[in-house]
Amino acid sequence: MHLSQLREHEAELTELSVAVAVVTFEAGFLARQYAAETGLVWPLLVDEKRELYRGYGMLTASFWDIWGPKTWWAYGKAMIAGQKLHASQGDISQRGGDVLIDPDGMVRLHHVGQGPADRPSPTLIMERIKLS
Amino acid sequence: MDLTGKPAVEFALPDSQGKMHHLADYHGSWLLLVFHRHLG
């Protein structure tokens, strides 16, 4: 969902010289399959030991974050938009998030998601870049 | 935890094709790390 939104802004991100890297903890075949099936245009970094997840405080989500109404709403919207959803074989309690790093290596945006719909919008991300 | 304004966490991770990526590779440009909850 969030990646779909970012892909809609791919041209703008490129224009702003923003490199995007997607991070997953799921390795091997699952990662390759996901990248191939979604036509992912950005590198899919594999953090199997979850060290980078941990480094940014993206730890275990609460039951409410995983199964609460915001989750159902987010997945419902994705399905209506035609997105194919698969039952996850991975750890559904793992938090996601977004980290924006400037050219000098400083964190300019650090967002740990409370659920699948809790992500900064692409517009917000680009505003952070333009305002710097 | 909020690392806004702090140095980014170093990393050395392979991508799904086996190519290694380091934080230093991105020095000089903006980098957006999008952490997946889970694939699928």
Side-chain angles (χ1 to χ4, degrees):
Chain A
M1 293 169 277
H2 181 57
L3 275 180
S4 301
Q5 292 177 329
L6 286 171
R7 287 191 69 169
E8 288 172 9
H9 294 270
E10 186 183 345
E12 293 163 86
L13 290 167
T14 302
E15 203 175 308
L16 291 169
S17 299
V18 180
V20 180
V22 182
V23 185
T24 181
F25 58 89
E26 297 181 82
F29 175 74
L30 283 173
R32 288 190 300 275
Q33 180 185 35
Y34 176 82
E37 277 186 5
T38 61
L40 192 62
V41 297
W42 300 306
L44 179 61
L45 307 186
V46 181
D47 182 18
E48 221 174 334
K49 293 180 185 175
R50 308 193 202 195
E51 289 173 350
L52 196 56
Y53 278 92
R54 212 170 290 120
Y56 283 111
M58 293 178 196
L59 303 173
T60 304
S62 70
F63 177 87
W64 196 245
D65 288 342
I66 299 167
W67 296 111
K70 286 183 182 177
T71 298
W72 292 106
W73 177 249
Y75 284 130
K77 279 173 56 178
M79 288 172 63
I80 289 168
Q83 189 172 340
K84 251 179 152 180
L85 300 178
H86 305 277
S88 176
Q89 297 169 12
D91 179 5
I92 63 169
S93 68
Q94 174 62 58
R95 286 195 190 276
D98 295 76
V99 179
L100 179 66
I101 301 165
D102 74 16
D104 296 320
M106 301 299 285
V107 175
R108 294 303 194 101
L109 174 77
H110 178 198
H111 183 88
V112 179
Q114 301 299 308
D118 183 26
R119 296 296 190 124
S121 69
T123 305
L124 174 69
I125 292 168
M126 288 187 284
E127 279 175 5
R128 286 285 170 104
I129 296 167
K130 290 173 185 173
L131 288 174
S132 66
Chain B
M1 172 194 270
D2 184 355
L3 296 182
T4 304
K6 303 267 171 40
V9 177
E10 296 284 344
F11 64 82
L13 296 173
D15 67 20
S16 58
Q17 303 302 313
K19 179 186 170 189
M20 287 302 292
H21 295 254
H22 302 82
L23 177 63
D25 297 339
Y26 297 94
H27 186 78
S29 67
W30 288 87
L31 172 61
L32 177 64
L33 292 174
V34 182
F35 289 82
H36 252 297
R37 291 177 58 243
H38 56 81
L39 299 179

